[in-house]
Amino acid sequence: MRIIIADTRPGVRSALELLLKRQPEFEVVDKVASTVALLAAVRAHQPQMVLLDWELARREQAGLIDLLVTVRNNLIIVALSSQPEACESALRAGVNAFISKGDPPDAVLRTLLDIA
């Protein structure tokens, strides 16, 4: 599964990439730090999944989720946040799943494998 990681923090992007590289099912095709770069990367790489920093997404509000799905039909969007209470608003906005950045790596992988 082709994945784009969109997070404002370089350390989070790198940690997620390292975690996903250990799984043959996943291929990180790009890592971005802004919504503009995310939209360009989705157009260029046509991923099946985006791991989206919810704090980054909230700057654009719900319109970003709709725009991503318009750019790439059937795109799986997984919101990531260090604030577990953001889960409900992310799911209401249309993401497919929510992962807390505080979850252990095996839980993150399990969630991604379940939705893949």
Side-chain angles (χ1 to χ4, degrees):
M1 176 164 283
R2 297 167 50 81
I3 298 175
I4 293 175
I5 300 169
D7 199 290
T8 56
R9 298 185 323 192
V12 171
R13 291 191 307 268
S14 294
L16 285 168
E17 182 180 34
L18 286 172
L19 179 67
L20 295 174
K21 277 187 173 182
R22 299 185 314 183
Q23 300 299 313
E25 303 88 354
F26 299 128
E27 174 191 3
V28 176
V29 295
D30 208 346
K31 299 181 299 182
V32 298
S34 71
T35 56
V36 172
L38 173 59
L39 290 167
V42 168
R43 285 184 183 103
H45 299 292
Q46 296 293 302
Q48 285 96 14
M49 182 184 293
V50 168
L51 303 183
L52 177 63
D53 174 13
W54 191 240
E55 283 70 39
L56 175 69
R58 284 192 331 188
R59 294 180 194 156
E60 300 294 325
Q61 299 303 320
L64 177 62
I65 304 302
D66 294 335
L67 187 55
L68 285 169
V69 173
T70 300
V71 170
R72 173 75 166 125
N73 193 24
N74 297 322
L75 181 65
I76 298 168
I77 303 171
V78 179
L80 307 166
S81 180
S82 56
Q83 302 172 356
E85 64 274 11
C87 178
E88 188 175 317
S89 66
L91 292 171
R92 270 197 318 268
V95 302
N96 300 91
F98 180 88
I99 294 175
S100 172
K101 289 182 181 178
D103 286 350
D106 61 329
V108 172
L109 282 176
R110 195 171 329 110
T111 299
L112 295 177
L113 288 168
D114 285 349
I115 62 173

